[in-house]
Amino acid sequence: MLFFYCMENQKRYRAIAIDGVSSSGKSTMAKRLAETLGYTYIDTGAMYRAVTWYFLEHQVNIEDENEVSKALDKIFITFRMVDGKNVCFINGQNAEPYIRIMEVSDFVSLVAAISLVRKKMVSLQQEIGKSADVVMDGRDIGTVVFPEADVKIFVYSPARLRAERRWLEMKETNPDITVDEIENNLNMRDHIDSNREDSPLKRAEDAFFVDNTNLNVEEQYETALQIIKGKLS
Ligand code: DC
C-alpha cells in the first residue's frame, strides 16, 4: 500500500520550456501548444511584469535590497483561469490590465535582473511544475527553472521584424507608438536580459532553435508542435 502511495506521489510531470528574445511570439505559441497538449500554460514574463507594476505603484527603490525584500514579502502571485485563459494574479487582483503598458515594459528588465526577485519567481515556477504538466515561456526556463525539461525551444527573430509585428498589434490601442520606439525597448530589454549576472537569457545547449523570420504564426506553432511530438514520442 505504502509502495503505491509513494509511486503515486512520485508522478513526474512534464515541462516544455520555451525561451527566447522579447516579443518573438513565444507566448502566443506557448499558449496554443499548451491547449493542444492539455498542459497548463504559464507566462513567466507576466510574473516579472506584475512585480514591476507593484514596485512602480508602491515606488519601491530597486537599489535598496531591504526595500525590495520587504515589498516581495507583500507580493503573492497566483494563476487562475479567466475565460478559459490562465491569467496572472497579484495579491488577488488580475494583473493583466496593468502589466502590458510601456512604463512596465521600460522597467521590467531592471526588476527581473534582481536576484531576490528571480529567486522568488523561480521557486514559484518550480512549485507549479511539481503538480502539473506545463508549457512555460520566459528567458531562463530551459537553463534555470527546468534544466531537465522534456523539450526546450529557443525562439529568435531580428529586433526590427519583432518591432514591426508588435506595432501592428499595438497600433489600435496605442496609435502614437512608433516602430522605432518599440524596437528600442526590445533592444534595451534583450541587452539587459542577456547581460545580467543572474540567469541571463541564453539558449540552453539542448534547446531546439526556431528562427521565425520567415514563419508566420501558424507555421511557427506547427514547427514547435512537430519538435515536441518528436521529442515526446
Ligand atoms: O516575456 P515578457 O516580455 O513579458 O517578459 C518581460 C520581462 O521579464 C523581460 O524583459 C525579461 C523578464 N523575464 C525574465 O527575466 N525571465 C523570465 N523567465 C521571463 C521574463
Side-chain angles (χ1 to χ4, degrees):
M1 191 64 182
L2 182 63
F3 172 75
F4 286 113
Y5 176 76
C6 291
M7 288 291 283
E8 184 75 4
N9 274 345
Q10 275 170 6
K11 175 165 168 44
R12 190 189 160 279
Y13 289 93
R14 283 186 159 156
I16 313 282
I18 314 274
D19 290 303
V21 288
S22 294
S23 274
S24 51
K26 302 184 298 291
S27 300
T28 308
M29 180 180 88
K31 221 174 282 172
R32 195 158 157 212
L33 289 168
E35 260 170 42
T36 305
L37 298 165
Y39 289 12
T40 300
Y41 167 63
I42 301 291
D43 173 358
T44 64
M47 299 166 77
Y48 290 98
R49 284 172 179 273
V51 171
T52 303
W53 173 69
Y54 182 96
F55 281 12
L56 285 168
E57 282 287 295
H58 295 84
Q59 297 175 2
V60 174
N61 175 9
I62 62 167
E63 305 288 326
D64 184 337
E65 208 171 90
N66 198 30
E67 232 182 89
V68 168
S69 171
K70 277 190 187 157
L72 282 173
D73 285 343
K74 294 187 192 136
I75 292 176
F76 295 95
I77 295 206
T78 49
F79 281 84
R80 294 188 204 162
M81 291 306 278
V82 177
D83 298 332
K85 291 183 192 143
N86 207 20
V87 171
C88 181
F89 275 65
I90 180 161
N91 296 341
Q93 189 176 4
N94 185 340
E96 260 320 304
Y98 313 106
I99 61 178
R100 309 285 164 195
I101 57 172
M102 221 50 195
E103 285 89 333
V104 170
S105 296
D106 281 340
F107 196 46
V108 62
S109 284
L110 295 175
V111 172
I114 302 170
S115 288
L116 279 175
V117 172
R118 301 207 70 80
K119 206 168 157 215
K120 179 159 176 162
M121 296 307 113
V122 168
S123 106
L124 192 52
Q125 290 152 13
Q126 289 171 335
E127 274 311 306
I128 295 171
K130 282 183 193 160
S131 57
D133 294 313
V134 289
V135 178
M136 220 176 252
D137 81 315
R139 304 295 188 287
D140 59 342
I141 311 303
T143 50
V144 175
V145 181
F146 298 123
E148 307 297 329
D150 298 84
V151 189
K152 300 180 188 179
I153 295 176
F154 191 92
V155 186
Y156 169 82
S157 53
R160 187 70 189 176
L161 178 66
R162 284 182 274 137
E164 284 165 0
R165 287 172 172 169
R166 189 90 186 91
W167 179 80
L168 288 173
E169 288 168 10
M170 289 178 88
K171 67 175 182 173
E172 295 287 314
T173 50
N174 194 348
D176 295 333
I177 197 125
T178 64
V179 176
D180 284 345
E181 206 179 325
I182 300 172
E183 187 183 7
N184 288 341
N185 173 269
L186 297 183
N187 280 329
M188 187 259 301
R189 282 203 281 146
D190 287 346
H191 180 78
I192 299 174
D193 295 343
S194 310
N195 291 287
R196 67 182 175 223
E197 257 173 55
D198 191 341
S199 40
L201 162 69
K202 66 171 182 219
R203 177 187 171 187
E205 276 174 21
D206 51 348
F208 289 86
F209 187 76
V210 174
D211 179 339
N212 67 28
T213 305
N214 296 309
L215 302 177
N216 63 27
V217 174
E218 186 66 28
E219 289 164 339
Q220 180 179 333
Y221 160 77
E222 274 303 330
T223 304
L225 187 61
Q226 291 318 313
I227 291 170
I228 293 168
K229 281 184 176 166
K231 259 305 239 166
L232 294 185
S233 65

